[in-house]
Amino acid sequence: MHFLKNKKVLLTAGPTYEAIDPVRFIGNRSSGKMGYALAEALAEKGALVHLVSGPVSIQVKHPNIELLPVESAEEMYQACMAYFDFCDIAILAAAVADYTVANPSPIKIKKKGENLHLELVKTKDILQTLGTRKKKQVLVGFALETNDELENARLKLEKKNLDFIVLNSLQDAGAGFQHNTNKVSILDKNNNLTKFELKLKTELAEDIIRYLENFVK
Ligand code: CTP
């Protein structure tokens, strides 16, 4: 039997949208492709996937995937809190806004002076919160760094109490946001570092799942 059979997985994917007013938002370039590739691959192996997803243009296919659509970082946080305790594995692949708009306008903001100032406030760190609440769960994070990649990933791994972290490099052509391919390294809590070739996100999903097997009881 596959080690993922009937395991419950909490998975986040895609960007978050932080409303400025009813028609505008602050978002990011995440396509959700890596997260959705993971969702399909996990479900294919018998896992029950709770996919908390920001706005993306990908459809979910597998019946083992429960799609929980959210928009903002706060909504993503609430959905994760509701599901984490009864999950065996949590993989946080979403590109969550680190800051949100302090006072979004209930009506469309009119163009007035030369400058417009928006006050931004920090969002809750979902991954870090799950790290403090974790009991038996295997917890996996993603990191996107442009400099001092390994050192930053190691700090994140420890601070957020992760089992392993998937490190994306934006410096490689074909890697990262919007692409179908990605180049990653995995750093785990035992300080093992594994570097993967540039490959399809669907193939990387299989690599990440193989890596999970070292941690899932
Ligand atoms: N993450 C999260 N909640 C947030 C911000 C990030 O769960 N509010 C998760 C992401 O899903 C990812 C990991 O944390 O798995 C790393 O996100 P990243 O933005 O790279 O790290 P930060 O801790 O926000 O640090 P920094 O932006 O300073 O690099």
Side-chain angles (χ1 to χ4, degrees):
M1 202 170 73
H2 197 276
F3 79 96
L4 282 172
K5 180 86 187 148
N6 293 328
K7 290 278 191 258
K8 296 189 183 67
V9 185
L10 172 65
L11 177 62
T12 68
T16 61
Y17 284 3
E18 308 305 318
I20 296 171
D21 68 17
V23 292
R24 305 175 179 102
F25 61 84
I26 299 173
N28 63 66
R29 296 186 195 279
S30 168
S31 63
K33 283 175 183 166
M34 188 67 242
Y36 276 63
L38 268 169
E40 295 292 339
L42 289 158
E44 198 54 47
K45 289 164 183 66
L48 308 168
V49 183
H50 304 285
L51 176 59
V52 180
S53 175
V56 297
S57 52
I58 316 175
Q59 302 285 325
V60 156
K61 296 191 200 85
H62 203 287
N64 274 10
I65 304 172
E66 181 197 11
L67 180 65
L68 303 155
V70 297
E71 283 215 346
S72 64
E74 177 62 26
E75 286 170 19
M76 189 171 275
Y77 174 88
Q78 295 300 342
C80 288
M81 290 307 126
Y83 282 82
F84 182 65
D85 288 346
F86 64 81
C87 282
D88 305 292
I89 300 163
I91 306 174
L92 274 63
V96 187
D98 287 329
Y99 292 87
T100 189
V101 180
N103 296 300
S105 171
I107 52 168
K108 189 181 170 210
I109 299 171
K110 295 301 272 181
K111 150 165 96 253
K112 278 197 288 246
E114 284 306 307
N115 300 299
L116 172 70
H117 296 277
L118 285 176
E119 192 190 343
L120 302 181
V121 289
K122 223 185 212 156
T123 56
K124 294 170 189 146
D125 192 317
I126 305 166
L127 188 56
Q128 190 159 357
T129 310
L130 299 188
T132 60
R133 279 174 65 145
K134 136 172 153 180
K135 297 202 172 69
K136 52 166 186 149
Q137 292 95 338
V138 175
L139 186 57
V140 179
F142 274 70
L144 185 88
E145 307 287 352
T146 52
N147 52 289
D148 304 320
E149 296 168 299
L150 205 53
E151 184 51 26
N152 284 330
R154 192 166 280 132
L155 291 173
K156 244 172 233 181
L157 178 91
E158 282 169 20
K159 191 171 91 179
K160 303 192 183 186
N161 193 20
L162 310 182
D163 292 279
F164 64 89
I165 189 158
V166 182
L167 181 58
N168 289 285
S169 177
L170 262 188
Q171 291 177 345
D172 298 282
F177 285 160
Q178 304 289 340
H179 289 99
N180 288 323
T181 50
N182 203 3
K183 191 167 178 226
V184 308
S185 306
I186 292 181
L187 178 70
D188 73 23
K189 63 180 178 188
N190 305 318
N191 219 10
N192 298 307
L193 178 69
T194 310
K195 293 184 175 179
F196 296 92
E197 307 275 279
L198 180 75
K199 53 175 100 180
L200 289 171
K201 287 178 176 172
T202 48
E203 294 167 344
L204 271 177
E206 301 294 335
D207 289 330
I208 293 168
I209 287 175
R210 268 192 290 280
Y211 211 90
L212 258 185
E213 191 165 11
N214 303 325
F215 295 91
V216 176
K217 303 259 161 18

